[in-house]
Amino acid sequence: MVKAEGVHKSFGHVEVLKGIDLEVAPREVMCIVGPSGSGKSTFLRCINHLERINAGRLWVNGHLVGYREKGGRLHELRDAEVAAQRRDIGMVFQRFNLFPHMTALENVVEAPVQVKGVGRAEARERGVALLERVGLADRVHNYPNQLSGGQQQRVAIARALAMEPQLMLFDEPTSALDPELVGEVLDVMRGLAADGMTMVVVTHEMGFAREVGDTLVFMDDGVIVESGDPRSVLTDPQHERTRAFLSKVL
Amino acid sequence: MSVDQSTPPAPPEQIRAVPVRHPGRWIATAVIAVLAAMFIHMLATNPVFQWDFMVDNMFSDPVLRGARTTLIMTVLAMAIGILLGIVLAVMRLSANPVVSGAAWVYIWFFRAIPRIVLLFFSASLGALYSTYELGFPFDQQLMDLFGFEGDWRFLSLDGNDIFRGFVAGLLGLALSEGAYAAEIVRAGIQSVDPGQAEAAQALGMSRGKTMRRIVLPQAMRVIIPPMGNETIAMLKDTSLLIAVPVTNELNFQLRAIGSRTFQVIPMAVASILWYLALASLLMIGQHFLEKRFSRGFGNRETRQQRAARRARDVGSTH
């Protein structure tokens, strides 16, 4: 589903990603952990081309992200083509980024109607069903500022799901939440994983990674230090850096 | 909500404190009352105001026609100016330095030139070229180069016919407004959290849709108050149309009556009252626009929410 080969990314002179190689299989849940500044969010943003990579190759569903290879050269994709690639990739942000001028339902309906051309009535029906699925049937007509952080994040998940993505990216989805609200968001994500959604989750929730994740990737300083089965990585880390990090967060 | 009803707690003793006295406020009130009384007394007793004459003349046909021109000119100049401003603001924020630079030059130029100078100039465009033609750029030069006769032009307009009166005035005011509107719209766009555009793009929305559906509606909250200022300024600046000249405009018509009848003060007061009334009208419009675009930012309940809450309340009593 996702394949990265030697992905490099620099902001000016600062090299944030120093060669990332990994592969995410369909229906796999991959959790990426690591200290802040390790490049895990940047890598996630590269997957749907919110950031442009400087070297290496990145494929989603067999398609090169952001480029077309023709005659041995890479050609940048036009905006419309990039937008088309993003349709199949849902993204959930740390700070929700809900559209504040729209109700929960309007947030969910917006992209299917505007991007996919789904009829308004049909989109609303599906939107209500999605909001029910994330447990917000009674908050359909609320604006984001009338919702708690956990509710907002669940609307954001419903909004991403409305595009029927094949892959979901989560960028620290619970980091901006009050502790007692983390659980409700993780529950929704757990449900998604159980339904077979392919997910890449940047997170600090080690419990979630252990319980739901198929793979755990530990990143530090722009490289993957260690990866493997979450239970074995968390209980028996092979590298000193992993051990040092885990001793601080567990 | 579920307080134990069996042992009602004793209500706490309410505080009854002596309030702080504010003698300064009473003194200020007295001073203002006296000044207001003096002002009203002056209005009522000075015969120069000629109230009957003013009321008789401030609604005459030419004045009403002038008021209509003033309002239409204000609305059209603002509409064109705002559209122009949105285009210029998007250009200004473009990654292409030539596009952004062109918008900068436009804004630099039109903000620097006084409106009365612009109006005078746009009225004189007929003197610059007597005919204005639309066609292929440098067509005659190109034809000469390849040894052909003739030109590639498909629309020809008489300059003196076009650039006078209402059109010249509208051109000058709208072009000038475009520059100010551009800066206001740019500030509005930049006030929107970049995460909003990111979220829209992550959903697969194009740049244009992201701007129209997500960024601009949120920018409107920041744009409307200064744009209200601009609209009221435009209402007043229609009195500059005398530079074109456009004479069927409110201020000119009122002054004309004043000088014809030697009743300058009553007609000047009529002018003040007219502009006050029209500006108030525009402020009402602004109020409703602000309300419309503040959705999701206050704590107001929406209609659907109120209905849903009532339904819940009714349901819970059964």
Side-chain angles (χ1 to χ4, degrees):
Chain A
M1 183 65 86
V2 180
K3 191 170 168 215
E5 270 181 20
V7 169
H8 285 256
K9 171 71 191 174
S10 307
F11 292 109
H13 295 296
V14 184
E15 200 174 24
V16 182
L17 298 178
K18 303 171 179 170
I20 300 290
D21 299 277
L22 59 73
E23 209 162 330
V24 184
R27 305 174 73 84
E28 180 177 343
V29 177
M30 174 181 284
C31 293
I32 304 179
V33 301
S36 62
S38 59
K40 51 197 195 306
S41 285
T42 303
F43 176 67
L44 199 70
R45 292 161 57 80
C46 289
I47 296 178
N48 67 353
H49 209 46
L50 285 177
E51 304 289 353
R52 183 183 299 254
I53 63 177
N54 301 115
R57 296 283 189 276
L58 191 55
W59 292 267
V60 171
N61 243 348
H63 296 289
L64 212 50
V65 173
Y67 301 94
R68 184 188 305 109
E69 199 150 21
K70 220 167 91 182
R73 289 202 58 185
L74 287 186
H75 299 258
E76 281 181 13
L77 292 184
R78 283 180 284 118
D79 285 345
E81 294 169 312
V82 174
Q85 283 191 337
R86 287 180 180 141
R87 275 177 217 181
D88 295 333
I89 308 173
M91 181 143 185
V92 174
F93 298 86
Q94 182 178 357
R95 304 219 54 97
F96 329 135
N97 295 3
L98 287 180
F99 306 134
H101 58 304
M102 300 180 180
T103 63
L105 183 58
E106 285 166 352
N107 264 281
V108 176
V109 165
E110 178 68 11
V113 171
Q114 294 296 328
V115 178
K116 275 188 168 173
V118 177
R120 218 158 245 291
E122 189 192 339
R124 284 178 74 89
E125 207 172 297
R126 288 217 322 252
V128 170
L130 277 169
L131 287 170
E132 259 166 36
R133 180 168 164 193
V134 298
L136 291 171
D138 57 340
R139 291 283 180 271
V140 167
H141 296 301
N142 283 79
Y143 284 96
N145 75 340
Q146 299 167 322
L147 301 172
S148 73
Q151 291 170 333
Q152 289 190 52
Q153 193 60 298
R154 285 186 280 153
V155 173
I157 293 173
R159 176 177 72 175
L161 290 176
M163 288 298 281
E164 300 177 319
Q166 301 172 1
L167 168 69
M168 285 284 284
L169 308 176
F170 292 86
D171 186 7
E172 303 198 21
T174 56
S175 298
L177 297 178
D178 291 339
E180 80 271 21
L181 302 177
V182 169
E184 59 190 65
V185 172
L186 291 182
D187 281 344
V188 169
M189 292 169 63
R190 213 169 274 135
L192 267 182
D195 290 346
M197 176 63 77
T198 312
M199 295 161 61
V200 180
V201 186
V202 171
T203 187
H204 295 295
E205 296 293 328
M206 298 303 158
F208 177 83
R210 183 186 353 239
E211 183 197 337
V212 182
D214 298 306
T215 320
L216 184 78
V217 171
F218 174 68
M219 272 178 76
D220 192 11
D221 200 22
V223 295
I224 294 178
V225 176
E226 186 166 354
S227 71
D229 182 77
R231 284 146 290 261
S232 55
V233 173
L234 287 173
T235 49
D236 182 25
Q238 300 299 305
H239 286 75
E240 185 47 47
R241 277 147 91 185
T242 320
R243 266 195 288 276
F245 174 74
L246 289 177
S247 71
K248 280 180 213 152
V249 297
L250 284 180
Chain B
M1 296 305 284
S2 60
V3 178
D4 190 359
Q5 296 294 320
S6 55
T7 54
E13 192 190 339
Q14 299 295 310
I15 294 176
R16 287 180 212 285
V18 179
V20 176
R21 306 293 175 194
H22 297 283
R25 291 182 189 174
W26 289 104
I27 296 168
T29 307
V31 170
I32 291 168
V34 169
L35 287 174
M38 285 168 70
F39 182 67
I40 292 168
H41 180 253
M42 173 199 71
L43 292 181
T45 56
N46 192 326
V48 179
F49 282 113
Q50 297 273 13
W51 295 108
D52 293 346
F53 176 84
M54 185 195 85
V55 172
D56 286 345
N57 286 277
M58 74 183 287
F59 299 109
S60 64
D61 278 348
V63 173
L64 290 179
R65 276 199 300 277
R68 197 181 60 185
T69 309
T70 287
L71 256 189
I72 292 175
M73 182 66 92
T74 304
V75 170
L76 282 182
M78 285 308 293
I80 297 173
I82 290 171
L83 285 180
L84 201 57
I86 291 173
V87 172
L88 285 165
V90 172
M91 284 173 68
R92 189 84 182 79
L93 296 170
S94 162
N96 182 331
V98 176
V99 172
S100 166
W104 184 87
V105 168
Y106 181 98
I107 294 165
W108 166 74
F109 182 84
F110 280 95
R111 274 207 308 190
I113 312 300
R115 281 191 175 159
I116 197 160
V117 177
L118 271 181
L119 287 170
F120 187 69
F121 188 79
S122 78
S124 317
L125 283 174
L128 191 57
Y129 287 103
S130 58
T131 57
Y132 284 79
E133 297 177 313
L134 279 179
F136 197 81
F138 296 108
D139 55 342
Q140 285 169 345
Q141 288 83 342
L142 283 170
M143 289 238 170
D144 277 352
L145 192 64
F146 294 108
F148 293 105
E149 289 283 315
D151 57 30
W152 289 321
R153 303 194 176 181
F154 43 83
L155 183 66
S156 173
L157 300 164
D158 186 327
N160 286 308
D161 239 21
I162 302 275
F163 298 111
R164 66 198 180 103
F166 192 86
V167 174
L170 182 58
L171 190 70
L173 291 178
L175 290 184
S176 162
E177 184 54 41
Y180 292 99
E183 288 295 273
I184 293 172
V185 173
R186 180 168 69 98
I189 290 174
Q190 287 179 329
S191 75
V192 177
D193 173 16
Q196 291 290 310
E198 237 167 43
Q201 273 162 13
L203 287 165
M205 289 172 83
S206 66
R207 274 172 202 272
K209 277 226 166 91
T210 300
M211 187 52 83
R212 278 200 310 281
R213 301 276 316 167
I214 306 301
V215 177
L216 279 180
Q218 294 181 56
M220 287 303 275
R221 270 179 65 244
V222 177
I223 290 173
I224 289 171
M227 217 53 109
N229 271 352
E230 287 296 304
T231 310
I232 288 171
M234 181 61 78
L235 174 77
K236 296 183 290 185
D237 283 356
T238 54
S239 57
L240 300 175
L241 288 172
I242 188 62
V244 173
V246 175
T247 52
N248 64 338
E249 161 271 321
L250 183 62
N251 184 50
F252 184 87
Q253 289 300 331
L254 287 163
R255 264 178 48 196
I257 297 174
S259 17
R260 200 171 58 233
T261 58
F262 302 106
Q263 299 289 356
V264 177
I265 288 281
M267 287 298 103
V269 174
S271 212
I272 290 173
L273 293 178
W274 261 109
Y275 282 110
L276 274 175
L278 292 178
S280 308
L281 197 70
L282 295 174
M283 283 165 68
I284 294 171
Q286 177 180 350
H287 171 77
F288 282 105
L289 271 180
E290 281 188 17
K291 219 167 130 184
R292 164 72 173 71
F293 283 102
S294 69
R295 282 187 314 179
F297 289 92
N299 282 316
R300 262 178 328 114
E301 229 177 6
T302 62
R303 209 157 3 106
Q304 290 113 318
Q305 281 166 22
R306 216 168 17 250
R309 179 171 53 81
R310 289 204 180 121
R312 267 203 308 279
D313 290 350
V314 169
S316 64
T317 56
H318 292 304

